[in-house]
């Protein structure tokens, strides 16, 4: 009796195994197609922290880039490079950093916050002294600054332009003697505003900032040897939540198309 019971059971098991094996032989037929990541239309937002002096040039590049990449939204945080550096150190969710000085970028590199393979010097600039356009005072050399009242400059500890101005004044042995005349600001845009409105007699800004205003004129340009080289580095953050997109905008900002925009605003692209 047991022999007869085993035979139908074995037959059923064999039939089940045949069905299962035939299904396993064609997994593609029952699997959903794999989605290509490049086909994604989900919007990605990138946060870019940039020196205030780059505002106009990067705003134009933003329009160009977003027109070609509608799925990417660029959000800019403009401020003094030292302030931006501190924000990044404190954990700000930044994807890309553009500084007006190598000091700030080097600090972040040393702390392992910047991708070493995705950082380079982008452009250079010049330090100038500006005065109100209708000002009749003639400033031909640094020693003539003693003729002026208040002189605005960025706070040296956080504003690269302010640090360069401090170095230039020290080079001409004027830093100590002009202390009572100096008005320190949060960034170069504030210096420009103070000079435009007549709140100060003069101010140190970049050549590119002076070129944006029809209310000021350049009184003199600081000699390159009087201060550290004015170089703007760019770098992708290691902690970027969107590393591929951050690399793509990094490469765009280094492109020939972007170089022409920087030249338009008075910067000199690095070779």
């Amino acid at each position: 009796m047991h022999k007869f019971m085993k035979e139908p059971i074995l037959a059923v098991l064999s039939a089940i195994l045949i069905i299962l094996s035939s299904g396993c032989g064609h997994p593609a037929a029952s699997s959903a197609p794999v989605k290509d990541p490049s086909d994604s239309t989900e919007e990605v937002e990138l946060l870019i922290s940039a020196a205030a002096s780059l505002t106009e040039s990067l705003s134009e590049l933003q329009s160009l880039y977003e027109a070609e990449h509608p799925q990417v939204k660029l959000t800019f945080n403009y401020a003094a490079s030292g302030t931006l550096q501190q924000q990044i150190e404190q954990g700000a969710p930044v994807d890309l950093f553009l500084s007006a000085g190598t000091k700030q970028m080097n600090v972040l590199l040393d702390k392992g916050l910047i991708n070493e393979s995705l950082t380079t010097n982008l452009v250079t600039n010049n330090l100038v002294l500006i005065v109100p356009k209708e000002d009749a005072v003639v400033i031909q050399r640094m020693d003539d600054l003693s003729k002026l009242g208040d002189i605005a400059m960025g706070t040296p500890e956080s504003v690269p332009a302010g640090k360069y101005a401090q170095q230039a004044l020290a080079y001409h042995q004027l830093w100590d003697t002009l202390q009572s005349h100096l008005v320190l600001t949060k960034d170069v845009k504030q210096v420009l505003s103070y000079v435009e409105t007549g709140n100060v007699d003069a101010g140190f800004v970049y050549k590119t900032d002076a070129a944006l205003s029809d209310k000021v004129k350049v009184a003199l340009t600081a000699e390159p040897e009087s201060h550290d080289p004015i170089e703007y580095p760019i770098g992708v953050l290691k902690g970027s939540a969107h590393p591929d997109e951050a690399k793509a905008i990094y490469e765009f900002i280094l492109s020939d198309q972007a170089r022409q925009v920087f030249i338009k605003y008075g910067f000199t692209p690095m070779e």
Side-chain angles (χ1 to χ4, degrees):
M1 179 176 179
H2 292 294
K3 176 181 177 182
F4 291 69
M5 291 178 63
K6 288 180 181 179
E7 288 180 353
I9 292 174
L10 289 174
V12 171
L13 290 176
S14 298
I16 292 173
L17 288 173
I18 291 171
I19 293 171
L20 290 176
S21 62
S22 63
C24 293
H26 303 280
S30 59
S31 300
V34 178
K35 186 176 181 181
D36 187 344
S38 63
D39 293 335
S40 176
T41 57
E42 182 179 352
E43 183 177 272
V44 170
E45 182 176 4
L46 296 179
L47 177 59
I48 301 176
S49 288
S53 52
L54 290 166
T55 302
E56 291 75 20
S57 54
L58 289 182
S59 292
E60 182 165 334
L61 290 178
Q62 176 183 10
S63 298
L64 292 172
Y65 192 79
E66 289 183 344
E68 297 177 1
H69 303 82
Q71 79 282 9
V72 178
K73 174 178 172 54
L74 303 179
T75 298
F76 287 87
N77 175 28
Y78 294 108
S81 299
T83 300
L84 298 174
Q85 171 206 323
Q86 292 176 357
Q87 292 173 354
I88 292 171
E89 290 175 324
Q90 293 166 4
V94 178
D95 298 288
L96 194 71
F97 178 42
L98 292 94
S99 174
T102 55
K103 173 186 174 183
Q104 292 74 24
M105 187 67 76
N106 287 338
V107 169
L108 298 180
L109 278 166
D110 290 342
K111 293 190 174 184
L113 298 175
I114 298 291
N115 188 330
E116 293 182 5
S117 64
L118 294 175
T119 182
T120 188
N121 286 331
L122 180 64
V123 295
T124 64
N125 211 335
N126 295 100
L127 181 71
V128 300
L129 181 80
I130 57 172
V131 296
K133 192 170 186 178
E134 306 305 325
D135 197 335
V137 176
V138 178
I139 305 295
Q140 295 181 324
R141 53 198 183 99
M142 284 289 189
D143 289 341
D144 292 334
L145 295 183
S146 59
K147 302 177 184 178
L148 303 174
D150 290 335
I151 303 168
M153 58 180 278
T155 303
E157 290 75 21
S158 59
V159 185
K163 185 63 176 180
Y164 301 135
Q166 180 187 41
Q167 292 173 341
L169 291 174
Y171 180 84
H172 290 278
Q173 300 182 341
L174 295 170
W175 175 247
D176 293 331
T177 58
L178 290 177
Q179 283 298 303
S180 62
H181 295 266
L182 300 178
V183 176
L184 304 183
T185 70
K186 65 178 182 178
D187 56 37
V188 289
K189 295 300 185 185
Q190 190 171 46
V191 175
L192 180 62
S193 175
Y194 281 2
V195 178
E196 287 180 327
T197 56
N199 286 330
V200 296
D201 294 334
F204 283 100
V205 299
Y206 295 118
K207 175 186 69 174
T208 52
D209 296 298
L212 296 170
S213 175
D214 58 2
K215 298 178 181 178
V216 304
K217 60 184 178 182
V218 174
L220 59 81
T221 300
E223 308 95 322
E225 64 270 19
S226 69
H227 55 75
D228 290 339
I230 301 177
E231 298 173 338
Y232 287 63
I234 178 176
V236 174
L237 275 294
K238 280 186 178 179
S240 171
H242 308 285
D244 292 338
E245 290 82 359
K247 180 181 179 182
I249 185 64
Y250 168 86
E251 292 174 344
F252 170 74
I253 292 175
L254 292 176
S255 69
D256 288 338
Q257 183 181 12
R259 283 170 62 92
Q260 296 308 310
V261 173
F262 287 121
I263 291 171
K264 172 183 172 180
Y265 286 94
F267 293 96
T268 302
M270 298 290 289
E271 296 300 329

